[in-house]
Amino acid sequence: MIVTLTANPSLDRTVALTGPLVRGAVHRAAATRVDPGGKGVNVARVLRAAGRPVLAVLPGNTGDPLLTALDDHGIGYRAVPTGGPARSNITVAEPDGTTTKLNEPGPAYTDGTLESLRHTVVDTAAAAHWLVMSGSLPPGVPADWYADLVRSVRAAVDGSACRIAVDTSESPLLSLAAGFPDAAPDLLKPNSDELAQLTGADATTLESAAAAGDTGPVVTAGRRLVERGVGAVLATLGAAGAVLVTADGAWHAVPGPVTARSTVGAGDSSLAGYLVAELAGLDPAERLRHAVAYGSAAVALPGTTLPGPDDVDTGAVEVTPIRPRPLGTPSPALPHHQ
């Protein structure tokens, strides 16, 4: 079982346009669709499509269209009652793959809701192989809530097989890192911007260097996080693929040719692909291969559509081991904003 936590879930409406988006103009939609959303929900959707047992934990009230949408997708969930409905997000998808997102902030939660959510996460994690904490936090939730939750789960499930993956950004990510090593997850999935936030590096340089074949800056950033207690760093780098860094090594994977239709859910799909491979007992290089294959499959799909196994081509992904730095060699300086 994999448990996903989405603290700030949403109902995602995608509007597909027939041409480019023009500010102030009237557009007619070619198609629309509505899906349950939020990063943890996205991970759950991909895992469910892959036939993996998954349980989504999230705030939600009986009768909320979000929970109805989860039922429609066949995703099991534990919902914690809240004071209001889930937020609604709008994605505008253009034919060339450009996506514009309008995300509501989400409702504020009472202390009682947060405590119920924490208790539900800890309770379900006891029987889980992985707990995935993904996405932003609602307004008013302390930035260090993820860090405290990692500690709570570890204290409650001491001795169990449950491992923790985290995918978040900005203040919750920085607060999580401030709690390392106690709050360090078994898997951290930053993109280039988030890796830069954690290490002070320049995000554009990290991604462009990897695209040019120089993964050194990304590996250096990942190793610094591993040295602080993170089990593995899965850094997704857009068209440059992804880099996986563990205490035992580092690997770089690049996708085959992809016609981009939407970037929505690509990172969540990458995380799900990694977990699919891990549950199958595959080695780190193959976990990275699956992560990139799932992420690139998501990019090739329109709007908020997420990949199933038939959309994924692991054979098109090239994985290269990265030679380790000799023992005693100091870490090179990371590129910073000028």
Side-chain angles (χ1 to χ4, degrees):
M1 173 68 73
I2 295 178
V3 172
T4 69
L5 166 65
T6 311
N8 200 14
S10 61
L11 197 65
D12 289 351
R13 179 179 296 275
T14 300
V15 179
L17 301 182
T18 58
L21 176 67
V22 179
R23 289 184 61 195
V26 174
H27 296 275
R28 295 194 182 277
T32 62
R33 62 176 289 155
V34 177
D35 292 299
K39 292 181 70 63
V41 169
N42 289 343
V43 172
R45 286 173 56 193
V46 177
L47 290 170
R48 173 69 176 82
R52 303 298 179 179
V54 62
L55 178 72
V57 175
L58 71 167
N61 300 313
T62 301
D64 192 311
L66 170 63
L67 301 187
T68 301
L70 288 173
D71 287 331
D72 291 343
H73 281 73
I75 296 172
Y77 56 84
R78 290 273 300 274
V80 173
T82 71
R87 61 182 177 145
S88 295
N89 295 338
I90 298 175
T91 297
V92 180
E94 301 175 52
D96 67 353
T98 301
T99 54
T100 302
K101 294 204 69 178
L102 304 174
N103 290 350
E104 293 183 358
Y109 299 147
T110 66
D111 290 343
T113 296
L114 285 178
E115 180 57 24
S116 295
L117 196 57
R118 185 198 68 81
H119 177 79
T120 302
V121 170
V122 171
D123 182 56
T124 55
H129 187 71
W130 278 94
L131 167 64
V132 180
M133 304 181 187
S134 293
S136 62
L137 296 176
V141 176
D144 62 355
W145 193 68
Y146 277 140
D148 286 345
L149 194 52
V150 170
R151 297 188 188 98
S152 294
V153 170
R154 290 248 168 85
V157 302
D158 184 35
S160 81
C162 182
R163 282 169 280 183
I164 300 174
V166 178
D167 179 10
T168 189
S169 61
E170 299 179 351
S171 295
L173 178 63
L174 296 176
S175 295
L176 181 77
F180 292 171
D182 290 345
D186 300 281
L187 175 64
L188 189 66
K189 199 225 71 63
N191 59 25
S192 56
D193 287 328
E194 293 152 0
L195 192 60
Q197 291 170 18
L198 286 170
T199 60
D202 178 70
T204 301
T205 303
L206 290 174
E207 200 163 303
S208 60
D214 179 12
T215 56
V218 176
V219 173
T220 296
R223 282 182 174 144
R224 291 185 180 179
L225 296 173
V226 170
E227 288 166 358
R228 295 178 60 194
V230 176
V233 177
L234 174 61
T236 52
L237 306 168
V243 168
L244 177 65
V245 181
T246 73
D248 298 321
W251 299 261
H252 179 213
V254 294
V258 176
T259 300
R261 301 182 68 186
S262 172
T263 59
V264 177
D268 307 324
S269 298
S270 293
L271 176 52
Y274 180 97
L275 296 176
V276 166
E278 194 276 343
L279 288 174
L282 302 182
D283 63 26
E286 288 303 309
R287 297 174 197 175
L288 179 61
R289 184 189 305 278
H290 279 70
V292 170
Y294 271 80
S296 60
V299 169
L301 295 171
T304 53
T305 306
L306 297 176
D310 292 342
D311 302 308
V312 177
D313 182 6
T314 57
V317 178
E318 181 180 351
V319 181
T320 305
I322 300 170
R323 295 180 61 184
R325 188 175 66 246
L327 292 175
T329 303
S331 299
L334 287 168
H336 292 270
H337 291 287
Q338 299 297 317

